[in-house]
Amino acid sequence: MPQRGQISWFEIVLFTSCVIWVAFGFAPALQDVVVLSFLFAGLALAWNIAGGCAGLISFGHAAFFGIGAYTSTILFQSHGITPWLGIFAGAAAAAIGGAVLSLICARLKGPFFILSSLAFAEVVRIIALNWSSVTGGAEGLSIPPVPDVANMVLGSKPAYEALTLIYLILAYAIMRWLEASRFGFYLFAVRDNDDAAAAAGINPLMVRSSAMALSAALTGVGGTLFAQYFLYLDPTYVISPELSFQFALLPAVGGLGTAIGPILGSFLITPLSELLRANLGNAAAGLHLVIYSAGLIVVMLYFPSGIAGALEKLKSRKPRP
Amino acid sequence: MSALLEVQGVSRTFGATRAVDNVSFAVQPGELLGLIGPNGAGKSTLFNLIAGVMPPSGGKIVVDGADVTGWKSYDMARAGVARTFQIPKPYRQLSVIENVMISAFLRERSMAGARDLADVTLSDLGLAPYRDRPASELTVGLLKRLEVARALAMRPKLVLFDEIMAGLTPTEVGAMTEIVAGLPAKGITVIWVEHVLYAIMKTATRMVVINRGSVIAQGAPAEVARDPAVVKAYLGEEMQLA
Amino acid sequence: MNTIIQLVISGLLIGSIYALMSIGLTLIFGVLRVVNFAHGEFLMIAMYGAWAFSKLLGLNPYIAAIAVVPAMFLFGALVYRLVIGSALEKPHLVVVFATMGLSIFLQNAALMAMTADLHDVPPIFGRSISVGHVFIKGELLLGFVITLACTIALRWVIKYTFLGKAIRATVQDGEAAKLMGIAVPKIFLITFAAGSALVGLAACVMLPLFSVFPTVGLNFVLIAFVIVVLGGMGSIEGALLGGFCVGVVQSVGSYYVAPAFGQLFFFVLFLLVMIFRSNGLFGQKGAATLGMNE
């Protein structure tokens, strides 16, 4: 039984390595990949709160990512509010979005919930694409690439590595807190059997909405960081089903409902997909995705508990004295 | 002493079927009330009405003087009414102790407090050896005991048992009967829906017999066993009343 | 007034074709209780197949159905054997991710094989047929007729053949069906393959109306989902009626507001249905809560 709430040596070593890596500015050529790996690890953890812990498998989380990104960027570009504050507004807006989705799906489970989350994200995307006066429509929004720390436009890649690492650690801390708190246990209860949870005095709708709002808020924060890194928001990517799929895929491969799983998923897949895209993207359009998705199917069929689950099984097979 | 639970003229219809028809009875604190009846009598529906799973189509339900008609199951739980499920519904990915802690959180808000209450409840029910095992690994008999543990960890005023004996071996039935019989002494009132009649006839202080959605007899187990209406209702069914 | 009638009639016709493409999805869900997220890509593959067949042999896509439908049946059986079958015993998530992965796989395999260029077939019918003040495209009318014929045929199979009875038994109680000697895995295989074959038929009907390109599935899969949910998961008649609703909403919505908003309307329609009538118009009660806790 995975020890809930206990931080393993492996995790301590992992985080320490990350901090050292960033502090010493290793591998300048890989800095883009590192930033993305940290960012997506945080996003995977955020998705995991709803998907892995509360059982709300959403394929529409890109909507919250986009809401966060657009909110802070619009506040910055049109109203001069620094993204350091805008990031909170983005998180709040995304949280509201999460609560709305939850209410819409109050009585839904399984595939119906998944489809509703997809539809919800599509609605948000179409609004973003068409409300040109506010969101810039299909042209998107851009932020001038002028280093400006007061407005979260950091000059150097290592600085972004640090920023996204902080995001990752924050997401991890929230996940660990969930595992050690009554609220977190309520999430697990509602996930595993919400009739039993109701009989135990838990209001499943309240718990699900709170979980979704928290997950959405944290995802929205990631959106703002993304906007501040790439300095350009394109609605067809930022609120796409592909991105939503990514948010769900990483925890699924790494291990749902665990703290380390989403991180492992991101650290494995993000560099891999960048590597494939870089080396094979030119050879034939789409080859890297063919390999990537075939690999995914194989992993899902043979390792349904993800990497974390497989590691647990290995551990428990070791002979005990 | 006022009744802990009062069911007043409660009905429930599904389309054209009257599953529960104008049922009334009261349960005093400290009673162990047995609710029996042949298959399809409406016991489960009545049970679910009291537990808050669905609202009655008519009538009132009163707990400790408060009108709880139409309250949802989680509100009933918070009002001190606990229930077990006929087919156990464990939290499969959690351990046995974590399963009980979820229920314990109703009364103990802290992790440590809930864990302690859960540990005590587990040992009371002989489940301590399975404390850290995933619930998905337990046998049916143990899962039924886990259902009882979860209900008791809520420190309820009233507990509703739904056919907890089904599928148990005679030894297990004996052990479970002892546990249930000891509850009134701990200040917990019991309403017990059961099909394994010999267990319930021995332990209940009072019986209510349901057939075709209505109450056909009420009283002490011995009286009820002799009641011609009851015998008739069960005619054709195997009886183990002694 | 004439405009509205025209819009509604066009909407009903295109809606019937949308319904044809969705019947496979609802059938698979009704029997296997899984949502095939690669459904749109099955349609895309079939459309490419129909196109290739037309191009190579100079025949029109409707005739191509003779080859495409059986080919899709086999394709569906293959996918079931390789992916779906073993995913069924695993946690629900596995099927979701496996079919999502399959979707991406097929999209990109098509991209590699056929490039991103649009392909289509020349129009089959010349001018639109006019009935009073209304103009009806021949392709739409033929599609409508094929859909109706298909729906009637399916109903007949399900009601009167042994296979149909076996399918209904499996839907109602898989365990009992097994005990009665019904090879449930075989029923699953046949249903999945049949659902794919139906998609093949839909592709042949849709090719004269829509171009094919690797990501065309994405456009249609969400429409299919909306129809299936509206009509009730597992209900064939529901899919037909759901298709009509969606067709009309899109037709009217696109005309009076911009085409993009036509899309928006039916996603909003979908969400409204989910809030208020999550079993769809004809679905089984409780269908909306099937899934995780079973």
Side-chain angles (χ1 to χ4, degrees):
Chain A
M1 196 70 219
Q3 285 297 335
R4 232 177 284 284
Q6 279 194 359
I7 302 180
S8 67
W9 280 113
F10 175 71
E11 286 159 41
I12 296 177
V13 167
L14 186 69
F15 281 112
T16 316
S17 317
C18 290
V19 173
I20 293 175
W21 182 295
V22 170
F24 284 93
F26 290 142
L30 295 176
Q31 276 162 357
D32 268 325
V33 174
V34 171
V35 170
L36 281 177
S37 298
F38 287 165
L39 184 63
F40 273 88
L43 288 164
L45 279 166
W47 186 92
N48 195 38
I49 293 171
C53 300
L56 301 165
I57 308 295
S58 150
F59 276 91
H61 257 56
F64 308 129
F65 183 77
I67 289 175
Y70 271 97
T71 304
S72 63
T73 307
I74 291 168
L75 285 176
F76 178 33
Q77 295 296 82
S78 308
H79 304 276
I81 298 176
T82 166
W84 294 111
L85 289 179
I87 200 170
F88 291 104
I96 293 172
V100 166
L101 177 61
S102 236
L103 285 173
I104 292 173
C105 301
R107 282 174 297 168
L108 308 178
K109 288 188 204 162
F112 290 85
F113 179 82
I114 297 175
L115 295 176
S116 299
S117 65
L118 258 168
F120 177 81
E122 281 298 286
V123 168
V124 172
R125 186 178 65 84
I126 292 175
I127 292 176
L129 258 178
N130 288 289
W131 200 8
S132 311
S133 53
V134 171
T135 64
E139 285 171 3
L141 294 177
S142 49
I143 296 173
V146 178
D148 183 1
V149 179
N151 285 315
M152 216 196 271
V153 183
L154 311 177
S156 66
K157 295 219 168 130
Y160 279 107
E161 284 183 346
L163 184 61
T164 49
L165 181 59
I166 292 172
Y167 174 61
L168 167 56
I169 292 176
L170 171 70
Y172 176 79
I174 292 177
M175 184 65 206
R176 280 299 184 193
W177 166 75
L178 277 178
E179 286 184 340
S181 72
R182 184 164 60 91
F183 177 63
F185 268 63
Y186 282 176
L187 262 60
F188 302 136
V190 159
R191 170 195 68 192
D192 283 356
N193 205 312
D194 71 343
D195 286 334
I202 299 169
N203 182 338
L205 179 58
M206 282 303 300
V207 169
R208 280 201 278 263
S209 305
S210 312
M212 189 59 99
L214 178 60
S215 171
L218 197 55
T219 305
V221 169
T224 301
L225 295 179
F226 177 90
Q228 296 301 128
Y229 180 61
F230 281 103
L231 301 177
Y232 173 56
L233 291 179
D234 167 15
T236 47
Y237 174 68
V238 163
I239 312 186
S240 61
E242 290 79 36
L243 196 58
S244 287
F245 179 60
Q246 189 96 347
F247 294 158
L249 170 73
L250 302 181
V253 166
L256 284 175
T258 63
I260 191 67
I263 300 177
L264 290 178
S266 178
F267 283 6
L268 177 68
I269 292 184
T270 310
L272 195 67
S273 72
E274 293 302 302
L275 190 77
L276 278 176
R277 190 205 310 271
N279 286 329
L280 297 172
N282 294 327
L287 179 59
H288 69 281
L289 278 173
V290 165
I291 297 177
Y292 181 55
S293 53
L296 164 66
I297 295 175
V298 168
V299 168
M300 285 320 290
L301 289 178
Y302 296 103
F303 298 103
S305 317
I307 301 173
L311 288 176
E312 270 304 316
K313 285 206 190 107
L314 273 178
K315 254 202 274 178
S316 56
R317 266 206 231 130
K318 287 209 192 106
R320 290 176 195 280
Chain B
M1 248 190 338
S2 64
L4 181 58
L5 171 77
E6 269 183 69
V7 175
Q8 297 171 358
V10 159
S11 314
R12 174 73 201 193
T13 41
F14 296 105
T17 327
R18 271 212 140 205
V20 173
D21 192 1
N22 200 15
V23 166
S24 299
F25 61 88
V27 184
Q28 303 298 331
E31 274 201 281
L32 209 162
L33 185 82
L35 191 59
I36 62 172
N39 277 326
K43 305 188 300 289
S44 302
T45 312
L46 179 59
F47 187 96
N48 282 325
L49 289 174
I50 299 172
V53 171
M54 59 180 110
S57 315
K60 248 167 60 148
I61 302 176
V62 180
V63 168
D64 238 351
D67 186 345
V68 299
T69 317
W71 280 25
K72 296 259 172 63
S73 41
Y74 42 86
D75 290 320
M76 290 303 280
R78 290 174 198 166
V81 177
R83 64 153 305 163
T84 61
F85 287 94
Q86 190 179 343
I87 299 175
K89 294 190 184 231
Y91 307 115
R92 306 203 94 86
Q93 293 183 59
L94 300 183
S95 66
V96 167
I97 180 128
E98 287 168 337
N99 265 264
V100 182
M101 277 169 75
I102 305 275
S103 300
F105 279 126
L106 186 64
R107 302 292 174 209
E108 296 286 340
R109 299 316 235 183
S110 71
M111 291 292 279
R115 194 169 286 127
D116 289 338
L117 175 54
D119 270 318
V120 166
T121 314
L122 285 179
S123 37
D124 282 347
L125 282 155
L127 285 170
Y130 307 95
R131 184 189 191 268
D132 293 310
R133 296 257 283 269
S136 49
E137 280 179 22
L138 295 188
T139 61
V140 170
L142 289 173
L143 281 177
K144 294 218 143 188
R145 255 199 270 169
L146 181 58
E147 284 285 312
V148 176
R150 293 200 307 191
L152 296 181
M154 289 163 64
R155 294 213 189 106
K157 295 188 232 182
L158 172 66
V159 70
L160 309 171
F161 287 129
D162 192 359
E163 301 201 25
I164 45 176
M165 301 302 189
L168 297 187
T169 66
T171 327
E172 288 171 331
V173 169
M176 193 73 100
T177 311
E178 262 192 67
I179 294 169
V180 174
L183 292 179
K186 295 186 186 170
I188 300 175
T189 310
V190 177
I191 296 181
W192 187 2
V193 169
E194 192 51 67
H195 227 57
V196 177
L197 293 179
Y198 68 88
I200 200 172
M201 293 302 236
K202 273 193 305 187
T203 352
T205 51
R206 194 156 66 89
M207 307 284 289
V208 168
V209 186
I210 307 269
N211 192 22
R212 303 226 182 104
S214 311
V215 176
I216 59 172
Q218 276 198 55
E223 283 172 38
V224 156
R226 286 191 303 256
D227 187 320
V230 174
V231 173
K232 185 165 167 228
Y234 273 96
L235 212 66
E237 296 217 357
E238 208 171 303
M239 295 195 294
Q240 292 172 284
L241 293 174
Chain C
M1 191 55 202
N2 283 335
T3 324
I4 300 253
I5 297 180
Q6 172 77 63
L7 287 173
V8 168
I9 298 215
S10 304
L12 287 175
L13 294 181
I14 191 69
S16 72
I17 295 177
Y18 287 158
L20 185 61
M21 122 182 116
S22 314
I23 289 179
L25 190 64
T26 203
L27 191 64
I28 290 173
F29 182 81
V31 177
L32 280 80
R33 294 276 186 263
V34 299
V35 174
N36 178 13
F37 284 98
H39 187 80
E41 279 60 51
F42 277 42
L43 181 71
M44 179 264 295
I45 299 270
M47 281 174 83
Y48 270 117
W51 174 82
F53 206 78
S54 296
K55 263 277 143 81
L56 287 175
L57 298 177
L59 299 167
N60 74 52
Y62 299 104
I63 311 270
I66 298 177
V68 171
V69 172
M72 283 306 291
F73 186 90
L74 290 172
F75 179 71
L78 184 70
V79 168
Y80 182 86
R81 265 279 141 72
L82 288 179
V83 178
I84 311 284
S86 41
L88 283 179
E89 314 119 29
K90 307 244 168 56
H92 194 87
L93 233 54
V94 173
V95 165
V96 171
F97 279 104
T99 52
M100 278 279 188
L102 186 61
S103 157
I104 296 186
F105 178 84
L106 291 172
Q107 276 179 47
N108 286 279
L111 184 62
M112 280 171 63
M114 305 296 298
T115 79
D117 293 341
L118 271 64
H119 294 291
D120 43 40
V121 291
I124 315 294
F125 300 90
R127 297 169 311 161
S128 301
I129 307 165
S130 67
V131 177
H133 292 282
V134 179
F135 289 92
I136 302 178
K137 275 173 95 164
E139 292 87 350
L140 278 180
L141 192 57
L142 185 53
F144 177 77
V145 169
I146 292 178
T147 305
L148 279 187
C150 198
T151 314
I152 294 172
L154 266 178
R155 277 232 76 198
W156 186 87
V157 166
I158 293 204
K159 243 185 144 177
Y160 296 110
T161 65
F162 180 76
L163 175 64
K165 294 201 175 107
I167 288 177
R168 275 185 289 146
T170 310
V171 169
Q172 286 187 22
D173 193 331
E175 283 302 315
K178 272 189 213 157
L179 292 172
M180 293 284 111
I182 295 175
V184 170
K186 213 160 146 202
I187 298 288
F188 284 170
L189 172 69
I190 293 177
T191 308
F192 195 84
S196 311
L198 284 166
V199 169
L201 181 62
C204 296
V205 165
M206 288 173 80
L207 188 59
L209 295 161
F210 298 99
S211 313
V212 59
F213 48 94
T215 51
V216 75
L218 276 178
N219 297 350
F220 291 119
V221 76
L222 283 167
I223 296 178
F225 283 154
V226 172
I227 290 174
V228 163
V229 169
L230 256 187
M233 294 285 219
S235 163
I236 294 176
E237 297 76 22
L240 189 58
L241 281 145
F244 287 150
C245 285
V246 165
V248 171
V249 168
Q250 188 182 45
S251 177
V252 173
S254 302
Y255 184 82
Y256 287 109
V257 199
F261 283 113
Q263 268 210 318
L264 183 69
F265 281 152
F266 72 66
F267 288 129
V268 172
L269 174 68
F270 174 90
L271 290 174
L272 285 175
V273 170
M274 288 283 84
I275 299 175
F276 294 108
R277 192 97 176 78
S278 43
N279 300 319
L281 304 167
F282 298 97
Q284 330 146 273
K285 222 175 191 320
T289 55
L290 283 170
M292 305 318 222
N293 286 351
E294 280 193 298

